[in-house]
Amino acid sequence: MATGFPPLTPGAPAVHGWRWRILLWAPHRLGFAAAVVVMLAASAWWAWVLFSRVWPLVALPLALPPILVHGAIMTLGFMPLFVAGFAFTAGPKWLAVAPPPARALLAPVILQVAGWAAWLTGAHGGVWWAAPGLLAAALGQALVAARFTGLIGRSRADDRWHAGIIAVASWVAVVHLLALAYAVVVQAIPHALVLVRSAVWLSIVPVFISALHRLVPFFTSSALPMVDVWRPWWVLVVLLGAALVEAAFEWGGRGLQDAAATRGIVQPLFCKFPVGWS
């Protein structure tokens, strides 16, 4: 017999069993659930691609390089959804503002999930599936970034730098998605591969740097009250600078050369299957 249990989210009603509406109790529930869906879909697709190398009978024609499809969704697909869930749960506390309801993020999240579904479809169906998928994901990400930027604008907290870094990284993800869509349309595959790696350093890594710089001293002082909070700003600057240097290396010639070489290595692995990219 099912028993009622109090939810982990304060203020939410007790439920019997699991319901879809639980995802709307808090932003992190919605964002994390959507991220897991995208991650599982990407992982299942990639496992199928690898399996098709062993058993070609299950292979389908590839319209895009699988390394690009996989790299893009693993970088700009599920990670921004995890970031959104985290940012709209922890961010309002950092900024001392009222958090938005999870329902306010529903449309952007659906856009991103649908966009990445179209992107995976475009791996076989062609650029006219893939590019609109990236544009839908970019629109969803832009709506998330705009709402989070609005929270920062309403805040009067002394420290808005950490949230600001996450907001900038979110907008950088939008730029990379738009540029990636263009690169796919014009078949600039080496540039598209560099965009994927650039997004790691300019969009994903800064979020981790900012969150860790903010949270590690907080959790340390909570567990060890005798230890003073130590959050030197130079550490944040050095780590962000290192990420910028890595991104500069990607665009400084090394990344394009590596991308072209990677394409030359990977393409022959799929040459025995019907492949639509060259």
Side-chain angles (χ1 to χ4, degrees):
M1 179 177 179
T3 58
F5 58 92
L8 296 178
T9 305
V15 297
H16 294 274
W18 192 86
R19 300 289 186 274
W20 284 103
R21 58 188 172 88
I22 293 176
L23 297 179
L24 298 179
W25 281 357
H28 70 273
R29 291 177 180 266
L30 179 62
F32 290 4
V36 170
V37 168
V38 174
M39 181 172 61
L40 290 177
S43 301
W45 177 83
W46 185 244
W48 172 79
V49 169
L50 296 179
F51 182 70
S52 67
R53 292 175 55 191
V54 180
W55 194 22
L57 293 177
V58 300
L60 291 175
L62 286 165
L64 292 173
I67 191 173
L68 172 62
V69 177
H70 182 250
I73 197 170
M74 296 300 281
T75 302
L76 291 166
F78 67 86
M79 279 306 304
L81 290 166
F82 276 125
V83 171
F86 166 79
F88 285 97
T89 300
K93 297 181 177 67
W94 297 356
L95 298 168
V97 296
R103 189 174 295 276
L105 301 177
L106 184 58
V109 166
I110 290 175
L111 274 171
Q112 292 185 72
V113 173
W116 290 111
W119 171 250
L120 290 179
T121 303
H124 308 281
V127 66
W128 302 116
W129 277 96
L134 291 174
L135 293 178
L139 177 58
Q141 177 66 13
L143 293 173
V144 169
R147 182 169 287 273
F148 192 69
T149 303
L151 293 182
I152 298 173
R154 294 196 299 272
S155 174
R156 294 297 177 265
D158 293 334
D159 176 14
R160 283 170 283 177
W161 285 101
H162 294 92
I165 292 169
I166 293 176
V168 171
S170 298
W171 284 112
V172 170
V174 175
V175 173
H176 277 76
L177 285 166
L178 294 174
L180 186 59
Y182 176 77
V184 167
V185 169
V186 301
Q187 290 293 296
I189 301 302
H191 290 82
L193 291 170
V194 173
L195 279 166
V196 170
R197 296 208 295 265
S198 173
V200 173
W201 297 111
L202 296 180
S203 178
I204 305 303
V205 169
V207 172
F208 280 88
I209 291 173
S210 178
L212 289 173
H213 188 264
R214 169 84 188 206
L215 293 176
V216 169
F218 170 77
F219 287 125
T220 301
S221 63
S222 298
L224 302 171
M226 72 291 297
V227 177
D228 293 332
V229 174
W230 187 68
R231 190 182 288 129
W233 289 101
W234 66 264
V235 173
L236 182 65
V237 173
V238 168
L239 292 176
L240 290 175
L244 290 174
V245 169
E246 287 289 346
F249 279 138
E250 295 295 347
W251 287 106
R254 185 198 73 180
L256 290 172
Q257 294 172 2
D258 290 348
T262 299
R263 186 185 185 191
I265 293 171
V266 173
Q267 185 169 359
L269 297 177
F270 295 87
C271 65
K272 60 182 178 180
F273 308 134
V275 178
W277 59 284
S278 59

